[in-house]
């Protein structure tokens, strides 16, 4: 058993994925394709300071093997978050990819070109609804009006420019069971292995990776990260950052609870006032009815020749 840096932390995950061999290993497993080469895109972004965004993003250009002597370039936008985040943030980053002119593949003599195919990968530190699989693949297909899948001419560069596939990884559902290559690669994110005294570290059984040089390489890089003073400091900063977010969210929840309670009391008071208003309205209506009856009686007595004084005496001064 050895201790390695916990890649749930953005700083460690970035340190891991900026290594080309590690990136190729992880992306090959996720894509279930042979990634021949990979490079960080120039708009790579890592969040460390903006307290309004609890998300980490890194973009790759990956060349995947499509045939014996054929490869193609695809774009990979990887977004990782610890806490539940509005989908708007994911869409904003995605929109930036679609609008980036550098993502257009222009052939010689072609002034328009088509966008490179894109795959989005979301690594979530929380559950997504009631979905109970650790890795979810969302793939697009094309259909005609009758619902029949269209395969002739597909994939088409125009279509590929406008739609993309997605992969969603739910870290809380990674429980150390290794059934395939992807399970093996993602096992280094398994938080059930977190050291109980130091969340910055994972305790893993190195012997499980004895037959995989790529996994040994990943483990050794995480071991190096664990002894890197700057990365340890960055993890402390992330702890403080997310602790501040939790404190803020707790304060907001407490405030919202108080507001809800006050709204409930105000609503209850409004109900009582409305009830009182209803009673007053009933009383007014009764008084109006009585007044109308008295007025009718006065008119009848008046028509029978009684004077006003006699009428008042008969009605008891009412």
């Amino acid at each position: 058993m050895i201790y390695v840096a916990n890649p749930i932390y953005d700083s460690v995950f970035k340190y891991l994925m900026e290594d080309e061999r590690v990136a190729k290993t992880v992306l090959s497993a996720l894509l279930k394709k042979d990634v021949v080469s990979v490079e960080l895109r120039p708009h790579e972004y890592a969040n460390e300071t903006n307290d309004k965004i609890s998300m980490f993003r890194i973009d790759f250009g990956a060349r995947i093997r499509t045939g014996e002597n054929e490869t193609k370039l695809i774009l990979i936008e990887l977004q990782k978050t610890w806490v539940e985040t509005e989908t708007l943030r994911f869409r904003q980053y995605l929109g930036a990819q679609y609008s980036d002119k550098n993502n257009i593949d222009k052939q010689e003599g072609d002034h328009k070109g088509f966008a490179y195919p894109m795959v989005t990968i979301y690594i979530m530190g929380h559950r997504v609804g009631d979905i109970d699989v650790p890795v979810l693949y969302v793939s697009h297909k094309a259909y005609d009006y009758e619902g029949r899948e269209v395969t002739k001419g597909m994939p088409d560069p125009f279509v590929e420019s406008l739609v993309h596939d997605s992969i969603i990884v739910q870290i809380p559902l990674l429980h150390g069971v290794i059934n395939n290559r992807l399970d093996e690669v993602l096992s280094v994110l398994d938080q059930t292995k977190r050291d109980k005294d130091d969340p910055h570290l994972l305790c893993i059984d190195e012997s499980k990776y004895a037959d995989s040089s790529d996994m040994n390489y990943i483990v050794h890089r995480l071991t190096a990260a664990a002894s890197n003073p700057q990365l340890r400091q960055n993890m402390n900063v992330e702890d403080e950052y997310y602790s501040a977010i939790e404190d803020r969210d707790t304060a907001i929840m407490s405030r919202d609870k108080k507001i809800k309670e006050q709204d409930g009391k105000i609503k209850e008071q409004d109900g009582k006032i409305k009830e009182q208003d209803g009673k007053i309205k009933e009383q007014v209506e009764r008084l109006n009815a009585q007044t109308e009856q008295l007025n009718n009686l006065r008119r009848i007595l008046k028509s029978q020749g009684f004077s006003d004084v006699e009428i008042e005496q008969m009605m008891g001064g009412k």
Side-chain angles (χ1 to χ4, degrees):
M1 304 296 291
I2 61 171
Y3 289 94
V4 301
N6 189 350
I8 191 74
Y9 287 89
D10 293 345
S11 52
V12 178
F13 189 78
K14 181 177 183 294
Y15 174 79
L16 193 64
M17 294 298 290
E18 67 187 4
D19 182 276
E20 183 180 5
R21 181 175 176 181
V22 173
K24 283 170 59 178
T25 300
V26 173
L27 296 178
S28 292
L30 284 166
L31 297 172
K32 295 185 285 187
K33 298 181 183 295
D34 180 15
V35 176
V36 178
S37 63
V38 63
E39 64 177 1
L40 293 177
R41 300 287 288 176
H43 45 269
E44 175 268 336
Y45 169 85
N47 171 61
E48 291 177 0
T49 57
N50 190 340
D51 62 7
K52 295 182 179 179
I53 302 177
S54 54
M55 184 182 296
F56 168 87
R57 171 193 175 196
I58 188 168
D59 301 325
F60 300 96
R63 188 162 292 279
I64 61 173
R65 192 177 306 281
T66 56
E68 187 174 347
N69 297 309
E70 296 179 352
T71 62
K72 76 171 181 179
L73 180 66
I74 67 170
L75 303 179
I76 298 174
E77 179 172 288
L78 188 152
Q79 297 184 41
K80 171 181 168 293
T81 178
W82 277 36
V83 295
E84 293 192 30
T85 308
E86 313 96 283
T87 54
L88 177 60
R89 300 202 192 283
F90 294 115
R91 290 171 64 88
Q92 286 173 336
Y93 292 149
L94 189 58
Q97 285 281 49
Y98 273 108
S99 61
D100 190 341
K101 294 180 180 180
N102 293 320
N103 293 339
I104 301 296
D105 180 18
K106 290 186 177 181
Q107 303 294 330
E108 187 175 349
D110 183 358
H111 297 292
K112 294 183 178 180
F114 295 103
Y116 292 110
M118 181 167 60
V119 177
T120 55
I121 299 174
Y122 304 105
I123 298 181
M124 316 297 289
H126 60 86
R127 290 285 302 272
V128 178
D130 294 325
I131 300 172
D132 60 359
V133 294
V135 184
L136 182 70
Y137 287 85
V138 184
S139 301
H140 68 272
K141 291 184 179 180
Y143 302 90
D144 64 13
Y145 181 77
E146 302 298 333
R148 295 183 292 262
E149 185 179 352
V150 176
T151 57
K152 184 178 180 180
M154 300 293 290
D156 177 81
F158 177 80
V159 176
E160 295 291 297
S161 296
L162 300 175
V163 293
H164 66 275
D165 293 340
S166 296
I167 304 171
I168 300 173
V169 178
Q170 299 188 84
I171 293 177
L173 296 181
L174 301 176
H175 298 310
V177 179
I178 298 178
N179 297 313
N180 52 50
R181 175 62 168 169
L182 180 57
D183 288 342
E184 183 179 53
V185 171
L186 294 180
S187 65
V188 295
L189 284 168
D190 181 2
Q191 294 304 293
T192 63
K193 300 176 181 178
R194 185 170 52 189
D195 182 68
K196 64 179 182 179
D197 297 320
D198 186 353
H200 297 170
L201 300 175
L202 297 183
C203 183
I204 65 174
D205 184 354
E206 189 178 19
S207 65
K208 289 186 176 181
Y209 309 118
D211 297 331
S212 173
S213 60
D214 287 333
M215 288 305 300
N216 269 302
Y217 186 84
I218 290 176
V219 169
H220 291 157
R221 189 162 178 82
L222 287 175
T223 303
S227 59
N228 185 308
Q230 185 59 54
L231 286 177
R232 296 285 295 201
Q233 177 58 28
N234 289 345
M235 284 189 276
N236 286 326
V237 170
E238 287 185 50
D239 281 336
E240 293 174 3
Y241 165 63
Y242 284 107
S243 177
I245 288 180
E246 289 177 359
D247 291 344
R248 180 197 64 187
D249 290 346
T250 300
I252 291 174
M253 289 174 64
S254 177
R255 182 201 64 189
D256 290 346
K257 183 180 179 182
K258 290 180 180 178
I259 291 174
K260 190 174 181 179
E261 290 175 352
Q262 290 174 348
D263 287 344
K265 291 179 180 178
I266 292 172
K267 192 173 181 180
E268 183 180 349
Q269 291 174 348
D270 286 344
K272 290 180 179 178
I273 292 172
K274 189 176 290 186
E275 184 180 349
Q276 290 174 348
D277 287 344
K279 291 179 179 179
I280 293 172
K281 187 176 181 181
E282 289 177 2
Q283 292 174 348
V284 170
E285 289 175 350
R286 282 198 299 269
L287 289 173
N288 289 336
Q290 291 174 356
T291 301
E292 183 64 23
Q293 289 174 353
L294 292 173
N295 289 335
N296 288 337
L297 181 57
R298 284 191 178 94
R299 284 193 291 270
I300 292 171
L301 293 173
K302 188 78 172 176
S303 66
Q304 292 177 353
F306 291 95
S307 67
D308 290 340
V309 174
E310 291 174 323
I311 292 173
E312 289 301 321
Q313 290 176 345
M314 293 173 63
M315 297 183 65
K318 295 180 180 180

